[in-house]
Structures are given as C-alpha cells and as structure tokens.
C-alpha cells in the first residue's frame, strides 16, 4: 500500500519500548495532532543531564502541519517536555483544568506562559481540527482529570486511552465513563492505542480505597511523627494523608518543591480539601509534640536531592527523623530505582525509624494507577478495535498486551508492536507499517533547549572515570619553539605530589615531541595539540592503564 494524503498515519516519538517521555501523534492530510509530550529522568551514566525528552525532528521539519498538542493527564512523563516542545513549535495546548495548572507551573519556570495559548477541556469537549473531530472520555488513573481521546477521521476512528485503570471505588470520585467507552466501541474503532505498563500482571488493579484505610490505621498506631513519601502528583494519596491527619489531630508539613507546588495547584482548583490551620511550615515541625505531626514529602523513588533522601541522612534543614518515628513509602519503585530506594530504606532503619515499604501493594500503602491484565482486556472488549497498537511500555509489556488483545478477539496480524519512530499508515481500512521517522532521545542540560551531543556525554564520562591533564606550552611567536618547560596540571587523574616522576617523564616526552616536529607543523596550533595528545595519551596509558582527558593549552610570547 502506498500512502497518500488520505491515509491516517499514527506514530510515536516516545513511549514505545520504554516507560517514560510519552509522545504520540496522528497525521491526516495537512494536520498533525500531537498527544502528550513527556520527559524521563536520566540514570547515573548520563552525567550532568537533567532530563531526557523525545526527538522532535519530524515535527519541527513539518511544523506548518502541527495544529495542536492535546494532553491526556498531568504526570511528568506526559507533560515534562512541553516547554521544550513549545519553544520549537508554538501551537495551542488542550488539557483539563488540573493538568493545565501543572503545565502553567512549567511554562512560568521557562518564562513562556504569556506566549502560549492554553485551552481548558473536559470529557464533554469537542474539537474540530481540519477534517479531524476530537472528543474525549474520562478514565481513572492516579492523578485527577485524566482523559482518553477519540479522533474521528473520514478513514475511521482512532482511540488513545491515556493512562488508565478500572476502579469501581476510586478516590475523589474519578470514575471512568464506561457507558461512553462502550458507545465508542459500538460506533466502531479502526485503531486503538492503549497503555501497556501492567500488561504482565494478572488480575485487576486493586482499588485506591484500600490504601486510604491502611494509611489511617498506621496514623492511628504511630507514636511519633509520621512521614509519608509519594509522588507529588498523586493527589488522591495526598487527600488520604490529609484525612488521616485530620482523624488523628495532626498538623501537616509539606517537604519538597514539587510537593508544595502540586498541593497549591490542587487546593486552588478545588481538587484537595485541607482543613484551615492544618498545614504548617517545615520550621514549625519541632514546635509540636511528635504524635501531633505528619510530614508529606517527595523522594519515594530514591532521588538523591529529594526530601526523603536528605531526611534519611540527616541533611534536611529544620526537620529530622528520630527513633520511633514512622516512615511510609507510598509508591512502588519504578524499574531501575530499586537500588536507590533500598539505600534510603537502610538509612531510615539506621535512624531507628519504623519503615513501611514494599513493591506494589505488598505494603498496603500503594496501588498502581495502571490497569492489570483484566483492566486491559476490558478496555479492548469495550472498544473492539480492528487494529491495535500497544503503547507506553517496554517491549515485553507491549508483547504481553498483544497476546491479551488476541485473547479477546483482535486478529493476530492486526496488532503492531513497534519501536519509537515506526509509523502505522491506515488507508481504505487497511493498515501497514513500512515507514520510519527520526526518533530517539534528546538530552537536556539545565533548562536550556540546546541538545547535548553524545560526544559531550562521552567527555563527561571520561572526566568522571580518569580525570584530566592540562598541559600548558609556552611557544615563541617568532621562532615557533618552546621557550620553557611544559607545565602539567592534574585534576582527578593522579595526585601530583605522589606522581612527580610520571609528570617529569610526560613533560620530557612532550618537549621531545614538539622539538621533533617539522617547522611548518609547529606553526599550526591544532597540529601541535594533536601530536601532544597522542604522545602523552599513549605514554600515560602504558604507565597507568588510564585514559585521562588531555587538554593542551598553547601560549604565544
């Protein structure tokens, strides 16, 4: 099938074969609608990198076609890249009331709020973008105001579920609109994009109501301060802590910038009910008896600079964890964060705290916001798609979701398990995946948009492992010869006082290397530096088995 302007093209710039930095798009004729723009956080191998966002090359090259950004919900892996996207492609943003509040915080930080068109939508909204009609339906997740999206095109309907689970007793009355989802299925779904995070987990996702009951029980039994760490965006969990604090007559302090910001947005927009006088400043914690204080903080994923990590090492100003205090980790560790979380738990036990932790619902303090296998099968059964694209998950999760789809009636060859950048084209009711667009990671260093190239990361890795050697050469401007011995400075490579002989040998080698160079080569700084790096690097590796970064500096006199 050759694609033409009447085909629907569905592609992912993030979120396939990974958990994080979700970004998808649907293209029809001259309109591209982008769905979500998230970030993920780097591991320890990406030195100095603050965020990872999707590669937006295709969208920038076709920016005249990009008409809108629609956001399903307010988690970081769905909104964290929005400021960087809008700096490149300034299009209208559509999101629910609470999600817009979180997006506004980011746009203020990047100082682009005034230039951005923000549009509030809800599950009853309807948009017309070119020949695409866009409607929505409510889904339940671990953050308020989550939506699934329906794209109605002349070729057929495409549905994106957003992140979801089916919870019949959800917190904050965030019920999924079963009837609307069923009606969409009856109308006919050409293609379904559905999240796959928990596709390996059998059964149905436990209800959020269980967590509220367990939190209250711990608050009742706790004899000292209670610290609870969770995702700042999990507003229903925050409300459960507020309710437990009210029942046990405790004051509540907030630690961590993101926690303070999200709670403020949630209170301002009516998503949190906090009694007057309950919230106290962190500096006031020590003024109350321990049994009258609760602390809500960030850091449940082991982030080294987050509040819980600093509390566990006694490095948080104004607030301390003492023996007898209770610490609750009310979030399961994201894959890859287990070691960091384990270290914090060890530190907390060392302080003498009573620690409640555990993966998933084993501690009774956390349930996932993502649907288990039965939830995913129910969504597939209600929508009855002709074609299926599992999204938002690592490859094994996408594979398991494909098997679930086949078990409820999706034809075996009608599921596309893709990687980022692969495209599904649908024309005349037939789908193919034969094309690709640029896709991958864009590294953000600070809040600037300058991409960090791989060579920069390689240099940082080399510096972190073997340090650097600065070699200063003083050259005669007229004679193009060394006028003094080279001056060598080590930083992070060897201790100068203990390596006198090694440094002397390097200086002699460099002097010999420069002296033996042809006169015309000594007039070219780049040639001198290249020869010095080569000779010094070879000698140092032979002597030390290390490869420091060698930085020659030439001074002409």
């Amino acid at each position: 099938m050759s694609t033409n302007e009447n085909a629907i093209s569905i592609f992912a710039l993030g979120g396939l074969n990974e958990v994080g930095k979700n970004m998808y798009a649907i293209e029809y004729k001259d309109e591209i609608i982008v769905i979500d723009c998230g970030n993920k956080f780097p591991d320890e191998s990406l030195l100095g990198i603050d965020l990872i966002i999707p590669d937006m090359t295709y969208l920038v090259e076709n920016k005249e076609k990009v008409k809108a950004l629609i956001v399903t919900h307010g988690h970081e892996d769905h909104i964290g890249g929005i400021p960087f996207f809008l700096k490149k492609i300034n299009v209208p943003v559509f999101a629910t009331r609470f999600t817009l509040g979180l997006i506004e915080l980011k746009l203020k930080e990047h100082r682009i709020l005034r230039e951005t068109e923000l549009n509030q939508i809800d599950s009853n909204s309807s948009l017309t973008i070119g020949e695409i009609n866009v409607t929505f339906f409510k889904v339940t997740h671990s953050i308020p105001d989550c939506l699934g999206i329906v794209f109605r095109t002349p070729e057929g309907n495409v549905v994106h579920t957003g992140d979801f689970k089916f919870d019949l007793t959800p917190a904050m009355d965030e019920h999924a609109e079963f009837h609307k989802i069923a009606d969409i299925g009856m109308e006919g779904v050409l293609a379904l994009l559905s999240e796959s995070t928990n596709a390996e987990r059998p059964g149905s996702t436990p209800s959020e109501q269980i967590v509220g009951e367990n939190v209250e029980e711990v608050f009742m039994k706790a004899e000292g301060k209670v610290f609870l760490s969770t995702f700042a965006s999990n507003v229903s969990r925050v409300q459960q802590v507020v309710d437990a604090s009210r029942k046990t007559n405790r004051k509540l302090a907030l630690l961590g910038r993101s926690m303070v910001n999200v709670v403020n947005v949630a209170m301002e927009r009516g998503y949190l009910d906090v009694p007057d006088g309950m919230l106290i400043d962190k500096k006031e914690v020590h003024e109350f008896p321990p049994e009258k204080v609760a602390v809500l903080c960030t850091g449940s994923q082991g982030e080294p600079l987050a509040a819980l990590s600093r509390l566990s090492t006694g490095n948080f100003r104004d607030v301390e964890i003492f023996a007898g205090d209770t610490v609750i980790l009310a979030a399961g560790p994201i894959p890859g964060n287990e070691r960091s979380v384990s270290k914090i738990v060890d530190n907390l036990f060392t302080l003498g705290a009573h620690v409640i932790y555990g993966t998933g619902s084993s501690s009774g303090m956390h349930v996932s916001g993502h649907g288990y296998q039965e939830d995913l099968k129910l969504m597939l059964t209600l929508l009855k798609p002709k074609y299926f694209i599992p999204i938002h998950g690592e490859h094994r999760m996408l594979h398991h979701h494909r098997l679930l789809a086949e078990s409820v009636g999706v034809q075996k060859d009608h599921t596309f398990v893709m990687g980022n950048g692969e495209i599904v084209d649908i024309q005349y009711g037939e789908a193919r995946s034969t094309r690709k667009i640029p896709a991958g990671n864009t590294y953000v260093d600070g809040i600037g948009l300058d991409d960090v190239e791989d060579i920069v990361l390689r240099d940082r890795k080399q510096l972190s492992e073997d340090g650097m050697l600065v070699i200063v050469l003083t050259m005669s401007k007229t004679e193009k010869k060394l006028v003094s011995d080279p001056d060598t400075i080590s930083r992070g490579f060897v201790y100068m006082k203990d390596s006198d002989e090694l440094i002397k040998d390097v200086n002699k080698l460099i002097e010999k290397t420069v002296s033996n160079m042809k006169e015309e080569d000594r007039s070219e700084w780049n040639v001198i530096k290249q020869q010095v790096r080569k000779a010094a690097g070879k000698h140092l590796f032979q002597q030390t088995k290390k490869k420091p970064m060698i930085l020659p500096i030439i001074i002409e006199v």
Side-chain angles (χ1 to χ4, degrees), residues 25 69 72 112 183 212 235 276 297 307 415 456 472 497 545 547:
L69 168 64
T72 60
I112 59 171
D183 288 344
V235 176
D276 292 340
C297 62
T415 298
V456 176
V472 181
K497 289 183 179 179
K545 302 304 178 189
K547 293 182 178 181

Side-chain angles (χ1 to χ4, degrees), residues 94-105:
F94 297 86
T96 55
R97 189 161 174 261
F98 181 68
T99 306
L100 281 181
L102 300 180
I103 293 172
E104 284 175 13
L105 289 175

